[in-house]
Structure formats: structure tokens, C-alpha cells
């Protein structure tokens, strides 16, 4: 399933403190967080050496493979890595271009190119040659992301591409407790892009209770397929329930209906 096609993410110029906060806010992915924190420490050491008058050479950007299902945080980690590579002077830009299938590379030079590998939408050989050439030129970090099956199937037919990757990160599926934590974070966001702007979760919606509802009402096969991508629709459906009852508070019973309805929508879309 293709979740995102092609987009370039532009954000404000990052600071190390902001990136450290982003890393600490990641739900789950403990091993990956340790890798990111290790890069932060290297940047801190390099900055100290530079302030002491030592010559510090910027590291070379490297290319990675992200293995995991949809909604496990691959795009989030790619954006954080883009900022860390920029702050370490490994890259000249902190933008991330996300690409799917045969969409052309755009605005990727100097930053991170995230290539989503789909079993049903393979990248053509001409584009692979372009990607390999970009890898060899430098000033770009290329990340291939997808399920183990899709990546394994793809890499065994593209050995020249495979040889150029130096790191592999595993993105595990999110547990019901982790999904519940992310849902609570989304619900607490009352900005202009909030999914439930003007509504709030009732105190009865504890992490444990939400996790129990997700485990009971969203089939494990669907959770493994979409992970956090399920949550937006669940919150939207829960808000609709509260609206119909004239409430501005989403109670646990409303959220349970939203979780069930959101899961059902995706089951129908995916013919599960």
C-alpha cells in the first residue's frame, strides 16, 4: 500500500536543542532513538572541539535502509536525520524529499531523499541509475524504506544499489500502548491543524484504557499494516460521535466508537 507519494518537507532552520526534543518525543523505537542520540553526542563533541580551536572535518553523508511497516515512524526519523546531518555539516540542506515509485527526484540535492519501496510499484531501472549516480556524487543522503519483503525482493535485483547502503534500521510495529500514547499526543494538539480542534479527551481516556480499546476493536493484522496511520481517522470518527451528542468532550465510549469506525473504514478500503 502506498501511503505517501512525493513531497518535500521544508521546516524552520533547526537547532540542536529542538532536534533533541524531537528525539525524546518519539514513541517506541528505543534502539533507533539510541542511534539518534549517539549522533547528537558526536555533534556536541565536534562543536566543543571547534570552539577549542581544533580543526573539525564534517562527516560524509551515508545511505540507509529503513525496514518496517507503514506508520512506524520512518518519515519522522528521516526528517530528524536530515536535521542532524545538516547540523553536523554533512549535508548543506535539512530538507527531506519523500518519493514513491517512479515519481521523479526533485529538490533532493543537498538533503535527504526518502524512497518508499512498494512491492506493487517497483522503481524503474533508469531511476535506479539516477539514484546511484546521486549517491556517488555526494551531498545527499538516500534512504530506502519499506517492508522486509519489499526491500529484500528489490535489493536482490539491484546489487550495485545495495552495495552503497551502510546502515540498516529496523522499525518495529507499534504496540497498542504506544498507539494509545501517540493518539493522546495527537488529541492534545490544539493548533490550527488539530484533528479535534475545540474538543478534548475526557480524563477517563487513560493510556491503558485507550490501549485496551485499540487492542479489542482494531484487528492486529490491520494494526501491523498501518500502525499510527490508523489514528487520525479514529480521532475524526470519535469527534463526530461527540458532535452528534452536543459535547465538546470526547468520552471513552465515544473514542471506542471512533476506534471501531476508523478501523472499519480502513478494512473496507483495503478489502480486509
Amino acid at each position: 500500500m502506498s501511503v505517501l507519494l512525493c513531497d518535500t518537507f521544508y521546516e524552520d532552520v533547526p537547532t540542536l536543542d529542538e532536534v533533541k526534543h524531537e528525539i525524546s518525543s518519539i514513541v517506541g523505537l528505543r534502539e533507533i532513538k539510541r542511534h539518534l542520540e549517539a549522533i547528537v553526542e558526536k555533534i556536541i563533541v565536534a562543536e566543543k572541539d571547534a570552539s577549542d580551536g581544533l580543526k573539525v572535518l564534517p562527516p560524509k553523508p551515508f545511505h540507509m535502509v529503513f525496514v518496517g511497516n507503514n506508520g512506524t515512524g520512518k518519515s519522522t526519523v528521516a526528517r530528524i536525520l536530515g536535521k542532524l546531518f545538516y547540523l553536523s555539516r554533512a549535508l548543506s540542506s535539512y530538507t527531506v524529499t519523500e518519493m514513491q515509485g517512479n515519481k521523479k527526484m526533485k529538490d533532493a540535492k543537498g538533503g535527504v531523499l526518502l524512497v518508499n519501496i512498494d512491492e506493487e510499484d517497483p522503481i524503474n531501472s533508469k531511476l535506479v541509475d539516477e539514484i546511484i549516480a546521486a549517491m556517488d556524487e555526494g551531498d545527499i543522503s538516500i534512504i530506502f524504506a519499506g517492508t522486509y519483503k519489499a526491500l529484500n525482493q528489490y535489493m536482490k535485483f539491484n546489487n550495485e544499489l545495495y552495495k552503497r547502503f551502510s546502515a540498516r534500521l529496523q522499525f518495529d510495529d507499534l504496540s497498542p500502548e504506544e498507539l494509545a500514547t501517540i493518539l493522546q499526543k495527537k488529541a492534545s494538539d490544539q493548533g490550527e491543524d488539530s484533528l479535534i480542534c475545540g474538543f478534548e479527551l475526557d480524563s477517563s481516556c487513560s493510556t491503558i484504557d485507550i490501549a485496551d480499546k485499540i487492542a479489542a476493536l482494531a484487528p492486529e493484522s490491520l494494526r501491523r499494516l498501518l500502525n499510527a496511520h490508523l489514528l487520525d481517522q479514529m480521532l475524526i470518527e470519535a469527534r463526530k460521535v461527540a458532535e452528534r451528542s452536543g459535547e465538546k468532550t470526547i468520552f471513552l465510549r465515544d473514542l471506542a466508537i471512533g476506534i471501531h469506525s476508523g478501523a472499519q473504514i480502513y478494512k473496507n478500503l483495503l478489502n480486509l
Side-chain angles (χ1 to χ4, degrees):
M1 176 185 175
S2 302
V3 177
L4 287 173
L5 293 179
C6 187
D7 206 354
T8 300
F9 297 91
Y10 298 96
E11 302 182 56
D12 295 334
V13 177
T15 67
L16 194 56
D17 284 342
E18 289 169 347
V19 178
K20 286 166 67 177
H21 177 71
E22 287 184 56
I23 294 170
S24 67
S25 298
I26 293 174
V27 177
L29 305 180
R30 291 175 186 168
E31 190 61 33
I32 290 173
K33 287 172 75 170
R34 281 195 283 270
H35 284 294
L36 297 174
E37 289 162 353
I39 296 174
V40 168
E41 289 305 313
K42 289 180 181 178
I43 294 173
I44 292 172
V45 170
E47 288 179 346
K48 184 179 184 304
D49 287 346
S51 67
D52 290 341
L54 299 175
K55 185 177 181 180
V56 178
L57 295 175
K60 291 184 179 180
F62 55 92
H63 313 296
M64 292 164 282
V65 174
F66 285 3
V67 183
N69 291 323
N70 288 316
T72 49
K74 297 188 291 294
S75 296
T76 297
V77 171
R79 291 198 289 274
I80 290 173
L81 278 169
K83 295 172 185 177
L84 290 174
F85 287 158
Y86 170 77
L87 290 168
S88 68
R89 297 188 296 138
L91 292 175
S92 58
S93 171
Y94 50 87
T95 59
V96 175
T97 298
E98 190 161 353
M99 183 174 66
Q100 176 82 40
N102 292 324
K103 301 291 181 179
K104 291 183 179 179
M105 286 188 287
K106 61 174 185 177
D107 302 327
K109 189 168 179 59
V112 171
L113 177 67
L114 178 61
V115 184
N116 291 301
I117 298 298
D118 193 307
E119 295 173 57
E120 300 174 0
D121 188 16
I123 296 173
N124 63 38
S125 58
K126 181 181 178 182
L127 188 54
V128 169
D129 290 341
E130 290 180 22
I131 290 172
I132 290 174
M135 286 174 152
D136 293 343
E137 287 174 11
D139 198 27
I140 191 171
S141 176
I142 295 179
I143 300 170
F144 269 50
T147 64
Y148 174 82
K149 182 179 178 182
L151 287 166
N152 188 56
Q153 177 179 312
Y154 191 78
M155 292 297 180
K156 68 182 180 182
F157 293 113
N158 293 279
N159 191 51
E160 285 301 312
L161 180 66
Y162 177 74
K163 290 191 300 185
R164 286 166 170 78
F165 291 104
S166 57
R168 175 185 182 274
L169 296 182
Q170 176 67 46
F171 288 72
D172 294 330
D173 291 320
L174 299 170
S175 69
E177 291 76 16
E178 290 166 342
L179 290 171
T181 300
I182 296 171
L183 185 145
Q184 288 175 311
K185 285 176 176 283
K186 287 177 175 289
S188 66
D189 177 15
Q190 289 293 318
E192 60 182 24
D193 296 326
S194 170
L195 296 167
I196 58 169
C197 186
F199 292 77
E200 62 179 5
L201 292 184
D202 182 65
S203 59
S204 63
C205 298
S206 67
T207 305
I208 293 174
D209 287 333
I210 296 172
D212 287 344
K213 297 298 183 186
I214 290 174
L217 299 171
E220 183 179 2
S221 58
L222 185 64
R223 298 200 310 269
R224 288 175 57 85
L225 185 63
L226 293 176
N227 288 280
H229 287 161
L230 283 169
L231 301 178
D232 285 3
Q233 194 64 48
M234 290 175 172
L235 275 174
I236 290 169
E237 296 303 314
R239 186 198 65 205
K240 290 177 182 177
V241 176
E243 282 178 328
R244 286 196 294 269
S245 61
E247 298 282 353
K248 287 291 185 180
T249 299
I250 297 174
F251 295 96
L252 185 60
R253 63 177 181 271
D254 304 326
L255 189 56
I257 295 171
I259 289 168
H260 179 266
S261 299
Q264 196 61 47
I265 287 170
Y266 276 111
K267 284 175 65 178
N268 293 337
L269 281 173
L270 301 172
N271 296 316
L272 296 177

